[in-house]
Amino acid sequence: MKTIKDKDIYCLIGNPVSKSLSPTIHNSYFELIGENSIYFTFEIKEEKLELILEAFKILNVKGFNVTIPHKITIINYLDEVSEDVKVLGAVNTVRNLNGKLIGFNTDGKGFLKSLEMEKIGIKDKTILVLGAGGAANAISVSLAMEGVKSIIIANRTISKAETLSDRISSYFPKIEVKYDSLKLENVNKKEVDMIVNCTSVGMYPNQTESPIDIEGFKENLIVYDIIYKPKKTRLLQLAEFKGYKTVNGISMLINQGLCSQEIWLGKKDLFFLENFEKIRRILKNYIE
Ligand code: ATR
């Protein structure tokens, strides 16, 4: 049995990090699976990034998550990155394997795992992605990797939607990719099978806002909002009122964390669903 002095150290680096739910998720998970490990948050300024990575190697920090503003720049300081990081250009999870820092991205995987848990199939479907930032990038790439038929990127700043759309087309030439503004003037709404909101519109404390007008879509539309606070955004409320299936961001958040754990511990957790439910219950106190 390890004692407190033998605890393995994990953490989140970013700026800001104070509101992150990652320590709750990971420390709860370590307790659930009986790992003698601890997870901290460290607020790290951009100019200190390289230095802190050296320190982590010396201190033998076993693994860490990365958030804004380091998700892209950290790639320059890692020893290796996974294949999806090469496409995404961003890292959110690092494993320290005997002094070698290896970068991964679990954003897309967490999203796909949440679809699997909700039994939502996306092969050959048309997906409307709202937003063109980091989350939209990870989710669009994971959708493309799963073989959707078509992706439409809609963003307030249309030039960013165009850049993301070009990026996906260049990596996945078989997938039809279009872009538009959030007014959706050039979108054939009846073709859309699922909407995924990756903008911050509707997030606490701006709960009364919706990124788009939900009128005119087909009957069996699925509306997924990656926001988890509030748990039912205005967009999801409007969608529910229309009878559409809705999904919020809690499942993606937990699944991202569990995917990081799998990377760090180097093993698949046999009790994934059971632990998922336990963490969901713990998070309820923090989110709702
Ligand atoms: P994340 O990493 O969470 O994706 P981000 O990269 O900052 O965060 O992206 C935020 C997204 O929300 C962007 O698509 C942004 O649109 P712009 O590219 O036009 O900035 C979108 N967003 C933020 N505030 C918005 C608002 N008030 N109306 C519409 N879109 C908004």
Side-chain angles (χ1 to χ4, degrees):
M1 175 67 186
K2 288 178 181 175
T3 62
I4 181 120
K5 71 177 170 51
D6 305 316
K7 271 189 195 288
D8 286 338
I9 299 172
Y10 294 85
C11 63
L12 167 70
I13 56 168
N15 190 10
V17 288
S18 60
K19 294 220 170 86
S20 172
L21 289 170
S22 294
T24 309
I25 293 174
H26 293 294
N27 285 320
S28 303
Y29 187 76
F30 287 137
E31 210 176 304
L32 285 175
I33 63 166
E35 276 279 323
N36 191 21
S37 302
I38 189 156
Y39 187 100
F40 298 103
T41 55
F42 292 124
E43 201 170 285
I44 305 294
K45 297 206 170 69
E46 281 176 276
E47 63 274 18
K48 298 288 184 203
L49 180 61
E50 193 175 1
L51 197 63
I52 200 76
L53 298 184
E54 275 313 305
F56 282 176
K57 283 185 185 177
I58 296 165
L59 293 169
N60 195 21
V61 169
K62 297 282 180 191
F64 54 96
N65 288 124
V66 186
T67 188
I68 288 162
H70 308 307
K71 286 178 109 166
I72 298 167
T73 47
I74 195 167
I75 295 173
N76 301 318
Y77 308 115
L78 297 175
D79 299 298
E80 228 176 80
V81 292
S82 67
E83 280 308 307
D84 45 353
V85 166
K86 288 178 191 158
V87 183
L88 281 169
V91 161
N92 80 334
T93 302
V94 177
R95 182 180 184 193
N96 179 359
L97 193 64
N98 308 319
K100 209 162 116 184
L101 298 184
I102 310 169
F104 301 84
N105 195 309
T106 65
D107 290 336
K109 283 192 200 83
F111 171 72
L112 291 178
K113 186 85 191 163
S114 70
L115 292 182
E116 190 191 312
M117 288 174 94
E118 293 284 339
K119 300 191 169 46
I120 297 172
I122 49 168
K123 279 225 163 24
D124 302 317
K125 302 281 187 200
T126 295
I127 319 287
L128 171 60
V129 175
L130 311 178
N137 184 32
I139 283 174
S140 307
V141 169
S142 63
L143 287 168
M145 282 175 163
E146 283 298 291
V148 296
K149 179 176 152 218
S150 164
I151 300 174
I152 307 160
I153 311 281
N155 196 44
R156 174 179 62 179
T157 313
I158 198 154
S159 59
K160 285 200 209 163
E162 185 179 8
T163 306
L164 178 53
S165 137
D166 288 348
R167 193 174 154 74
I168 297 163
S169 296
S170 68
Y171 282 105
F172 305 94
K174 285 190 188 141
I175 293 171
E176 194 180 294
V177 191
K178 294 184 209 157
Y179 64 91
D180 202 352
S181 76
L182 289 173
K183 293 201 180 83
L184 308 177
E185 282 161 337
N186 303 308
V187 173
N188 180 354
K189 290 182 166 181
K190 296 280 183 222
E191 270 178 17
V192 175
D193 296 298
M194 178 166 77
I195 299 173
V196 188
N197 177 39
C198 304
T199 74
S200 47
V201 182
M203 193 187 286
Y204 177 83
N206 300 316
Q207 283 121 301
T208 55
E209 296 169 13
S210 169
I212 54 161
D213 176 4
I214 196 100
E215 293 301 319
F217 290 92
K218 66 162 84 152
E219 240 174 53
N220 54 347
L221 178 76
I222 297 167
V223 183
Y224 190 130
D225 197 327
I226 69 163
I227 293 171
Y228 52 82
K229 192 171 182 174
K231 72 173 184 176
K232 206 178 284 174
T233 57
R234 181 84 185 129
L235 175 69
L236 292 189
Q237 283 173 11
L238 294 168
E240 216 174 72
F241 186 69
K242 292 213 160 269
Y244 300 145
K245 178 176 173 61
T246 60
V247 186
N248 72 13
I250 295 170
S251 174
M252 177 176 164
L253 174 78
I254 300 171
N255 278 309
Q256 271 171 307
L258 294 184
C259 289
S260 293
Q261 288 281 349
E262 284 186 355
I263 290 168
W264 293 332
L265 303 178
K267 59 185 177 198
K268 294 258 174 226
D269 174 30
L270 297 172
F271 303 102
F272 200 96
L273 200 62
E274 194 184 314
N275 288 327
F276 177 92
E277 282 308 330
K278 285 180 184 161
I279 292 178
R280 197 212 287 266
R281 280 199 291 275
I282 292 165
L283 284 183
K284 264 191 174 181
N285 303 324
Y286 294 84
I287 296 173
E288 289 159 24

